[in-house]
Amino acid sequence: MASRHTHSKRIEGLDKNVWVAFTSVAADPTIVNLGQGFPDIPPPSYVKEALVKATSVDKLNQYTRGFGHPSLVKALSQVYGKVYGRTIDPFKEILVTVGGYGSLFSTMQGLVEVGDEVIIVEPFFDCYVPMVRMAGATPVLIPLRLKTGTSADWYLDPEELSSKFNSKTKAIIINTPNNPIGKIFTRDELQMIADLCIKHDTLCFSDEVYEWLIYRGHQHIKIATLPGMWDRTITIGSAGKTFSVTGWKLGWSIGPEHLVKHLQTVMQNTLYTCPTPLQEAVAQGLMRNYELMGQPECYFSSLAEELEVKRDRMASILQEAGMSPVIPEGGYFMLVDVTSLNQDLSHMGEDEAYDYKFVKWMIKEKKLAAIPVTAFVGDESKKEFEKYIRLCFIKQDSTLDAAETRKKNKKS
Amino acid sequence: YLSNVHCGWFQMGRLTVQNMNVLSFTCVFTLSSSPYDLLIITFVLVDWLLCNNRVEFTQLAADYKAVNLGQGFPDFSPPKFVQDAFCEAVRGGPQMQQYTRAFGHPHLVKSLAKFFSRIVGHEIDPFEDILVSVGAYQALFCAFQALVDEGDEVIIVEPFFDCYQPMVKMAGGTPVYIPLRPVSRAEGNSVLSSGDWVLCAEELASKFTPRTKAIVINTPNNPLGKVYKTEELQMIADLCIKHDVLCISDEVYEWLTYDGAKHVKIASLPGMWERTITISSAGKSFSATGWKVGWAISSGHIIKHLKTIHQNSVYHCATAAQEAVAHGFDREYEVFGSPQSYFQQLPAMLQHKRKKLAMCLDSVGLKPIMPEGGYFMVADISSLKVDLKDESSKDESYDFRFVKWLTKEKGLATIPVSAFYSPEHSKDFDKFIRFCFVKEDATLDAAADILRKWSSTK
């Protein structure tokens, strides 16, 4: 092939990722898939029905407003207006995107420059690093460090964090609840980050797609509500995670107009508008639950209750199998320390981190899929994290039953 | 909302985009039911024109009952079989609501591969040669981002769908423009056709330099409606092969050809499969623009780069919509070429609407250029003498002023065609306006009434 057909420099080294490596493997139906993060439980039926209804309305099959379907941005403005305790302008302070992923992309492309540095907390949802690099900037990593067993015991060292900020720092990305650990950042921790952002005049990109999946005894705090932070924060949410419809690929960015307008420019020059009927259906789902906020029937809280049971069940399955789970405070993933299994994988000769080998071995030998956690950290932190694998527990009971069987087989 | 449309050349680090995006004008008129939405429509229209023309137009803002032939999408519904397929998909198994394969839902890529292999005359691998995207728009974005670098030149044929230019620039490339030019016609022969607008061979050849990475063509063309003939595509192909250049071929209107014009895929010409990225759209194919399902088809060694952009930008497209489009293509595969095919029925229906609109335009002295394909009809307004009554905006291009006047004075909304030209050439093409005729009869009748009343006052 002619050498002129080379790719652009911006994608150099960005072609591989953990999903490309593992999702096709786990597509085998004989494998119990606790790897990729999506539910196999059904979404609420009213949300599906709203979509069916939307497609029967002629105009809802055609283009809608580029930055977000009016009924959706208005619904978001109401729901989040209540959550934030401030008036949010639906047209200037919200952008609807193709999933939380699309919001991350619009944010990076809109606000991050060649030569900037962006601080990323490890372990991180794996797309942050390639997106920062694609924008021509440098990722600066800082690991959460462990004290003891629950996700609450992973913390950011204040001095270490402070040392990462300099004049080139454009933004810090935080994810709370965190994927994969499930940590929920406390008010104090967020205040520490906020203080640094204000001191260094840095932006904050807060990925809060799991914001409703908060387990008992914990509270989700939006960094954008801390003093001085609204004006420098983009907060990202997801319909897919909110309503258990990851295949709808709708998300949103909320922030001050002077930042959101740049994300809107990116949107205008990348895919222009998101699908209309899906946005209409999400709008209806949001408005219905807005009315129920604070009540037990509200899906925003009922889903978390449902998942807490599954979380606890998953944890006990793993403990019985001799492994050490990290109990998450939020989200739908659980980290598991597999050290105690003493699984010898030296026969798997490739130069790969232990967790990658372990997951491949587990898929092949135990028909159980997970995700290796070193996919979520930079090279320097691999040694600390290669004993962990990530399991997703937003699964039907029958899936968890099957997982239990595989685990029991593993133990023997 | 007023601050969301940007004025002037907007510098944002390396991202420099032109302020005006024609789509922000056309997509405004989606919702015409609630007064609140109409108000939004008005603000956006006002805002768009304000940003581009720095003109006072409170009167324009007051008139929001315009019959809308500006927006580039149907005001009728998609065919029932495809709407039903969507409903079935949504009501289908749990996997329909969750992530599907990132580069394209398996059912869809298999249906597309089967359908288009037959047309292109090349065996298309569903998993290697196709990328499904959020509308053709995102496929274009992936193509430019994946293949265009700082310093690359990209040839764009004018008039062009306005996103090509900012996308090339966002990728760090330099747009190089070449206009289609109308061949002169014998006096008295007033039937103009989009087929009369051609590329001058020498001029085109002169645009290729050692820095040329790609050429973008759009056939059928928006706004003109030109359907490139095989000889014209061959001329472009020869240059692509000679200079080892890629071809990005935007074929979203591929099913909409009239009066026997044939849509030809440049990728099917010898030597072109391995250097052409063909982009198309379920939205235009099935009159469901709001579903935002599109795709790029090319040789795997090129598609893999678009996949990298895709996986680092949106990653997945909505599952249920892809499933529905797959069903649509399965059905069309079975009835291809027969009267039951939607790809036959849609152009047949539009052929009639196109003729009707052309007659109405003619009656008031708006000279239509009959489009061989697509959604749009361009009319020459140069021979129409109207007093635009807008002293304050004399330095703005004529077609912009005319469109404003037409919306205000006659209640008919259209799009000025110089918006589809580069700054270098827009002055040469400021006597044309664009109409969309993909509208239900009631809309076209309303437009006809307006034009009838207008002509009776002459």
Side-chain angles (χ1 to χ4, degrees):
Chain A
M1 283 296 117
S3 61
R4 293 283 319 284
H5 297 182
T6 51
H7 54 268
S8 59
K9 295 188 198 62
R10 67 182 58 82
I11 60 172
E12 195 59 52
L14 302 186
D15 52 326
K16 295 194 181 7
N17 70 28
V18 67
W19 315 110
V20 170
F22 285 98
T23 47
S24 52
V25 168
D28 176 346
T30 65
I31 294 174
V32 177
N33 190 351
L34 300 185
Q36 195 180 358
F38 60 86
D40 66 4
I41 60 175
S45 60
Y46 54 79
V47 136
K48 289 201 307 185
E49 285 310 310
L51 180 54
V52 169
K53 253 182 58 191
T55 52
S56 66
V57 178
D58 287 1
K59 71 183 187 198
L60 293 179
N61 289 296
Q62 309 303 336
Y63 293 131
T64 183
R65 175 177 170 268
F67 305 141
H69 187 52
S71 63
L72 177 55
V73 294
K74 285 180 225 167
L76 288 166
S77 149
Q78 295 216 255
V79 168
Y80 286 104
K82 191 165 178 175
V83 170
Y84 281 72
R86 67 178 291 140
T87 309
I88 297 177
D89 184 309
F91 301 107
K92 299 184 198 179
E93 296 176 328
I94 299 178
L95 172 67
V96 174
T97 56
V98 177
Y101 213 98
S103 271
L104 288 161
F105 181 72
S106 300
T107 301
M108 303 292 184
Q109 288 286 311
L111 300 172
V112 174
E113 267 290 30
V114 174
D116 282 347
E117 289 181 9
V118 177
I119 299 172
I120 298 174
V121 178
E122 298 176 296
F124 50 87
F125 179 54
D126 72 308
C127 79
Y128 300 163
V129 162
M131 284 191 183
V132 166
R133 288 174 53 199
M134 198 168 139
T138 306
V140 171
L141 306 178
I142 174 169
L144 285 165
R145 296 189 182 280
L146 178 64
K147 281 185 259 183
T148 60
T150 77
S151 63
D153 300 307
W154 293 75
Y155 70 100
L156 281 175
D157 181 287
E159 270 157 38
E160 191 181 7
L161 179 62
S162 180
S163 74
K164 302 289 182 182
F165 281 76
N166 61 49
S167 57
K168 289 199 258 185
T169 310
K170 191 55 163 290
I172 177 169
I173 305 176
I174 63 169
N175 176 215
T176 178
N178 167 277
N179 169 11
I181 295 187
K183 173 186 176 62
I184 297 179
F185 284 71
T186 63
R187 187 175 293 276
D188 287 343
E189 289 171 315
L190 294 174
Q191 190 61 62
M192 172 178 75
I193 295 168
D195 291 341
L196 285 161
C197 286
I198 291 168
K199 176 176 172 184
H200 295 272
D201 193 18
T202 303
L203 300 175
C204 179
F205 303 156
S206 186
D207 176 353
E208 301 181 15
V209 295
Y210 302 104
E211 59 185 307
W212 307 112
L213 303 182
I214 312 296
Y215 304 121
R216 258 174 310 175
H218 306 291
Q219 198 194 356
H220 174 69
I221 311 233
K222 289 184 166 298
I223 195 171
T225 58
L226 300 185
M229 289 307 284
W230 167 260
D231 285 320
R232 60 181 67 253
T233 305
I234 295 286
T235 306
I236 291 167
S238 156
K241 305 294 194 278
T242 299
F243 288 112
S244 309
V245 286
T246 61
W248 287 28
K249 288 293 294 189
L250 281 174
W252 43 82
S253 301
I254 296 180
E257 181 191 342
H258 68 273
L259 293 180
V260 169
K261 74 180 183 187
H262 299 310
L263 278 64
Q264 290 175 336
T265 299
V266 173
M267 183 70 173
Q268 182 175 310
N269 290 291
T270 53
L271 51 98
Y272 205 86
T273 182
C274 292
T276 315
L278 293 164
Q279 292 189 69
E280 176 65 28
V282 172
Q284 293 191 21
L286 286 170
M287 285 318 293
R288 180 190 173 117
N289 283 289
Y290 172 73
E291 302 301 331
L292 297 169
M293 272 169 96
Q295 294 170 44
E297 303 82 45
C298 180
Y299 193 71
F300 301 158
S301 42
S302 69
L303 178 62
E305 277 171 30
E306 190 183 341
L307 290 187
E308 188 162 343
V309 174
K310 295 178 189 284
R311 176 195 74 166
D312 295 342
R313 177 154 180 230
M314 171 73 76
S316 63
I317 293 172
L318 293 167
Q319 279 156 347
E320 277 167 30
M323 290 183 268
S324 316
V326 175
I327 312 295
E329 305 156 82
Y332 51 57
F333 301 107
M334 184 175 290
L335 237 53
V336 192
D337 183 337
V338 300
T339 315
S340 51
L341 290 180
N342 277 319
Q343 188 63 42
D344 178 10
L345 299 174
S346 48
H347 62 281
M348 295 175 72
E350 303 126 66
D351 181 25
E352 263 187 328
Y354 183 81
D355 56 344
Y356 270 73
K357 290 191 213 175
F358 188 91
V359 168
K360 286 181 179 168
W361 169 85
M362 194 169 73
I363 288 173
K364 186 166 168 228
E365 301 298 329
K366 302 296 171 187
K367 298 288 194 187
L368 185 58
I371 294 287
V373 173
T374 58
F376 299 88
V377 304
D379 290 338
E380 285 172 26
S381 299
K382 281 196 189 326
K383 277 273 162 283
E384 276 80 57
F385 287 91
E386 67 176 344
K387 58 188 177 174
Y388 295 103
I389 61 173
R390 186 195 82 170
L391 296 168
C392 174
F393 56 86
I394 184 166
K395 303 291 177 188
Q396 293 184 68
D397 289 341
S398 55
T399 311
L400 297 177
D401 291 340
E404 184 167 18
T405 315
R406 308 292 160 97
K407 289 282 177 216
K408 288 204 165 96
N409 291 345
K410 195 201 306 275
K411 199 178 172 193
S412 55
Chain B
Y1 192 81
L2 283 177
S3 56
N4 287 337
V5 179
H6 304 282
C7 302
W9 284 92
F10 173 59
Q11 192 86 25
M12 191 171 77
R14 75 183 183 293
L15 174 64
T16 307
V17 296
Q18 187 178 8
N19 54 324
M20 193 274 296
N21 186 314
V22 170
L23 277 185
S24 49
F25 181 98
T26 59
C27 291
V28 152
F29 294 88
T30 331
L31 307 158
S32 52
S33 48
S34 88
Y36 183 79
D37 292 329
L38 282 168
L39 202 57
I40 301 306
I41 290 167
T42 311
F43 279 136
V44 174
L45 172 56
V46 163
D47 184 33
W48 176 80
L49 289 168
L50 243 184
C51 277
N52 291 284
N53 308 292
R54 297 175 296 277
V55 175
E56 294 297 312
F57 49 119
T58 44
Q59 288 145 305
L60 187 63
D63 181 8
Y64 54 82
K65 289 196 189 65
V67 170
N68 201 331
L69 300 190
Q71 63 191 62
F73 54 90
D75 64 1
F76 49 80
S77 71
K80 191 164 185 311
F81 68 85
V82 107
Q83 273 182 305
D84 287 347
F86 199 126
C87 294
E88 265 177 53
V90 175
R91 290 193 171 122
Q95 70 276 16
M96 280 292 126
Q97 314 302 337
Q98 308 305 334
Y99 294 129
T100 182
R101 176 178 169 270
F103 305 131
H105 185 54
H107 184 183
L108 177 56
V109 293
K110 286 185 214 162
S111 300
L112 290 172
K114 184 173 167 193
F115 190 95
F116 286 103
S117 291
R118 194 162 66 171
I119 295 179
V120 168
H122 177 105
E123 204 52 44
I124 300 173
D125 183 310
F127 300 107
E128 301 299 317
D129 300 342
I130 302 180
L131 173 67
V132 174
S133 54
V134 181
Y137 210 96
Q138 196 229 334
L140 287 162
F141 176 73
C142 288
F144 289 118
Q145 285 284 311
L147 303 166
V148 175
D149 242 331
E150 294 283 338
D152 285 344
E153 289 177 3
V154 178
I155 299 172
I156 298 177
V157 179
E158 303 180 287
F160 56 88
F161 177 55
D162 71 315
C163 82
Y164 303 158
Q165 175 192 40
M167 283 190 183
V168 166
K169 292 181 84 79
M170 194 168 154
T174 306
V176 170
Y177 304 99
I178 175 166
L180 289 161
R181 297 183 187 284
V183 294
S184 47
R185 295 189 135 261
E187 205 51 62
N189 185 353
S190 62
V191 176
L192 306 164
S193 159
S194 60
D196 298 326
W197 289 64
V198 299
L199 288 173
C200 164
E202 288 88 53
E203 191 181 7
L204 179 61
S206 75
K207 301 292 179 181
F208 283 76
T209 76
R211 286 172 305 283
T212 308
K213 190 65 178 286
I215 176 170
V216 187
I217 63 168
N218 174 216
T219 178
N221 168 275
N222 170 9
L224 211 45
K226 175 182 179 62
V227 173
Y228 287 67
K229 301 181 182 49
T230 307
E231 312 83 80
E232 294 174 300
L233 295 174
Q234 191 61 65
M235 173 178 76
I236 296 168
D238 291 343
L239 285 161
C240 285
I241 292 167
K242 175 177 176 185
H243 295 273
D244 194 16
V245 161
L246 299 168
C247 178
I248 297 173
S249 184
D250 176 352
E251 303 182 12
V252 296
Y253 302 107
E254 58 186 310
W255 307 114
L256 302 181
T257 57
Y258 312 114
D259 293 340
K262 290 256 172 303
H263 172 71
V264 178
K265 286 180 171 298
I266 194 170
S268 63
L269 301 184
M272 289 306 285
W273 164 256
E274 56 265 32
R275 63 178 67 252
T276 304
I277 300 104
T278 304
I279 289 172
S280 197
S281 154
K284 303 294 193 290
S285 298
F286 291 113
S287 309
T289 60
W291 291 14
K292 290 292 289 184
V293 175
W295 50 86
I297 298 180
S298 181
S299 166
H301 78 286
I302 292 180
I303 287 291
K304 75 177 183 194
H305 300 312
L306 276 69
K307 284 177 177 173
T308 302
I309 295 291
H310 182 76
Q311 92 195 29
N312 288 296
S313 56
V314 304
Y315 213 152
H316 300 84
C317 302
T319 310
Q322 293 188 67
E323 177 69 15
V325 173
H327 278 286
F329 271 96
D330 289 342
R331 180 214 190 253
E332 286 298 308
Y333 182 84
E334 297 305 325
V335 299
F336 188 68
S338 80
Q340 289 85 42
S341 161
Y342 187 69
F343 298 161
Q344 298 279 320
Q345 291 168 348
L346 182 60
M349 171 175 65
L350 295 183
Q351 170 116 6
H352 158 77
K353 293 178 192 281
R354 159 189 176 263
K355 186 171 165 196
K356 180 173 178 166
L357 179 64
M359 276 165 43
C360 293
L361 295 180
D362 229 353
S363 70
V364 296
L366 284 164
K367 292 194 170 34
I369 298 167
M370 286 305 272
E372 299 158 283
Y375 267 14
F376 306 104
M377 180 178 294
V378 169
D380 183 339
I381 56 177
S382 55
S383 57
L384 207 59
K385 299 288 175 274
V386 291
D387 177 7
L388 297 182
K389 300 193 196 97
D390 59 342
E391 288 306 315
S392 57
S393 59
K394 274 276 152 61
D395 55 353
E396 157 183 83
S397 65
Y398 184 78
D399 55 345
F400 274 63
R401 294 165 59 205
F402 188 93
V403 162
K404 240 173 20 89
W405 175 86
L406 194 62
T407 311
K408 208 168 67 169
E409 298 299 328
K410 299 296 173 189
L412 186 61
T414 59
I415 299 283
V417 169
S418 65
F420 298 86
Y421 281 86
S422 61
E424 293 95 285
H425 298 136
S426 60
K427 282 275 165 291
D428 303 331
F429 296 95
D430 67 347
K431 301 292 190 301
F432 301 96
I433 61 176
R434 184 194 84 171
F435 294 80
C436 177
F437 53 87
V438 184
K439 303 291 171 191
E440 54 182 17
D441 286 340
T443 315
L444 293 173
D445 288 340
D449 278 342
I450 289 172
L451 293 165
R452 201 173 302 125
K453 285 200 191 80
W454 182 6
S455 87
S456 69
T457 65
K458 287 162 149 295

